[in-house]
Amino acid sequence: MSFAVNESSTKRHQKHKNAGFHKKRNPKRGGPGIMMTCETGRERKCQQEGLHILNYYALERMTNGTEEKCSSTNDLSLEDEIKKLKGAQNSRMESFCVYDIGVRGMITFLCTMPNCNVVIPYTREDNAQVMDTPDVCINSNKEPAAKKPKLENEKFNDDKASPDPSWDPIDTVGLIIKDLREGTTDAPSSRFVTRMIPIQVSCTANKEEIEYVARELFSKYNDGTAATFAIRPKRRLCTSFKSDELITMIANLAPKKWKVKLVDPKYTFIIELCKNFCGLSLIENMKDYGNFNLVEAREKGNNSLEKES
């Protein structure tokens, strides 16, 4: 009897687990985001805290000024105010989505705001988005769709790159670190998040996409003058590339007038590889960000407050 009860409860648990798996869906790659690190086992708390911080810096600070102007010029009724608050709440929920990269101690948020792409996302022509949707049934009886012939204009999807993106992950992380160093108490604290790594473009960890994104980022920052740069690859549970291979591949795509400088370069090209996920950024004066370490920035802020007191 007890065996039958345990077996039925196990089946219900497995059914509930599978149902949750099929509902899970990663956002589309290509847009910007932020990769957050935390202690192993603190991922859920890091996710809640990180989303709260992103909503504060990316949404509230950006919209406070415009909301005050609107409220001063227009007298809204109670129903309109309720609708406005619900709309703001929904925008917070939909502005950032968690991307499950499958690495412990890391949480990745991708931006889903309109006009936030720095680079036109790269897509393969033969239904390559299957890896981005874990809710696809592997044992489906449906036959795979026939492959389309490869055309040049099918490399890109309909998403466009904005000359003035609605959200910049580098600016957001820079503002967070600045507030921590200054000891600002109004902003939400980061108890579980240890580092925030800005990602300008997200893509799949394959050679074609990485080369395409690197070429586009270099072209955006290249003004025809000489500059120095360094390449910082980081691999987590990824055996597709070696660090030396990545460095050589990216260096060959750099502008001709740019020279490699490992110590204090003007630009730093960071590559974050996590399984089949890749995040890339080209950051100017990276030393000013303190390796994106929030713990060290908070300690500096606490020390400065103690000296002032």
Side-chain angles (χ1 to χ4, degrees):
M1 182 67 180
S2 61
F3 175 76
V5 173
N6 291 335
E7 186 178 2
S8 60
S9 62
T10 303
K11 288 182 178 179
R12 286 197 301 269
H13 175 72
Q14 189 67 26
K15 184 179 179 181
H16 176 72
K17 185 178 180 181
N18 292 336
F21 174 79
H22 286 285
K23 289 180 181 178
K24 186 177 180 181
R25 178 180 289 271
N26 277 332
K28 192 175 182 180
R29 305 186 199 190
I34 290 181
M35 303 179 75
M36 304 182 184
T37 62
C38 64
E39 295 181 4
T40 304
R42 301 286 182 91
E43 290 86 359
R44 184 176 294 275
K45 293 181 179 179
C46 174
Q47 177 178 328
Q48 296 173 352
E49 183 180 83
L51 184 59
H52 181 50
I53 294 173
L54 286 181
N55 285 334
Y56 174 81
Y57 281 93
L59 300 176
E60 293 187 13
R61 282 206 173 186
M62 291 170 58
T63 58
N64 274 344
T66 56
E67 286 179 359
E68 288 177 1
K69 290 180 181 179
C70 293
S71 61
S72 62
T73 54
N74 301 324
D75 294 331
L76 300 177
S77 63
L78 181 60
E79 293 181 357
D80 293 336
E81 288 182 0
I82 293 174
K83 290 180 180 179
K84 188 176 180 181
L85 290 173
K86 287 183 178 180
Q89 205 169 27
N90 292 333
S91 66
R92 287 189 179 93
M93 294 174 63
E94 299 174 356
S95 297
F96 299 98
C97 288
V98 177
Y99 192 102
D100 184 11
I101 58 177
V103 178
R104 298 187 66 187
M106 291 205 70
I107 298 295
T108 299
F109 287 97
L110 292 186
C111 180
T112 55
M113 299 181 193
N115 303 322
C116 67
N117 290 338
V118 179
V119 172
I120 299 175
Y122 177 96
T123 55
R124 286 171 287 181
E125 68 278 4
D126 52 355
N127 299 328
Q129 294 297 328
V130 173
M131 294 300 295
D132 283 347
T133 55
D135 58 333
V136 175
C137 182
I138 298 176
N139 297 323
S140 176
N141 294 325
K142 295 182 179 180
E143 296 182 359
K147 293 185 177 180
K148 298 179 181 179
K150 186 174 182 180
L151 300 176
E152 291 183 359
N153 59 357
E154 288 186 352
K155 286 187 177 181
F156 311 103
N157 60 10
D158 296 332
D159 298 334
K160 297 181 180 179
S162 174
D164 186 17
S166 57
W167 179 70
D168 190 339
I170 299 176
D171 291 344
T172 300
V173 173
L175 188 58
I176 293 171
I177 293 175
K178 178 185 176 184
D179 285 350
L180 287 174
R181 288 173 177 173
E182 294 177 354
T184 304
T185 57
D186 297 335
S189 60
S190 57
R191 179 182 176 187
F192 301 103
V193 182
T194 56
R195 294 177 68 217
M196 282 189 175
I197 306 168
I199 298 299
Q200 289 180 299
V201 186
S202 56
C203 67
T204 307
N206 66 62
K207 184 178 179 181
E208 289 183 1
E209 294 192 35
I210 293 175
E211 285 182 340
Y212 164 73
V213 173
R215 193 179 294 110
E216 292 294 316
L217 285 178
F218 277 131
S219 64
K220 285 186 173 295
Y221 286 86
N222 182 25
D223 56 0
T225 60
T228 57
F229 74 103
I231 303 171
R232 304 280 176 86
K234 180 70 175 179
R235 298 181 302 131
R236 299 179 178 88
L237 301 181
C238 180
T239 58
S240 303
F241 297 93
K242 295 182 180 179
S243 297
D244 294 341
E245 182 182 356
L246 281 171
I247 293 173
T248 302
M249 182 174 64
I250 301 299
N252 291 335
L253 301 173
K256 294 182 179 180
K257 293 185 178 181
W258 287 27
K259 295 182 179 180
V260 176
K261 185 181 179 183
L262 300 180
V263 180
D264 194 16
K266 182 178 180 180
Y267 296 102
T268 303
F269 201 111
I270 63 173
I271 310 167
E272 296 287 336
L273 285 172
C274 301
K275 287 191 174 180
N276 68 336
F277 178 88
C278 181
L280 303 99
S281 291
L282 188 57
I283 303 173
E284 187 175 358
N285 299 325
M286 184 173 166
K287 65 175 184 178
D288 297 338
Y289 298 91
N291 201 25
F292 311 115
N293 194 317
L294 304 189
V295 178
E296 292 181 358
R298 184 169 58 249
E299 290 177 356
K300 290 182 179 179
N302 294 336
N303 293 335
S304 61
L305 290 176
E306 290 177 359
K307 289 180 181 180
E308 291 177 0
S309 59

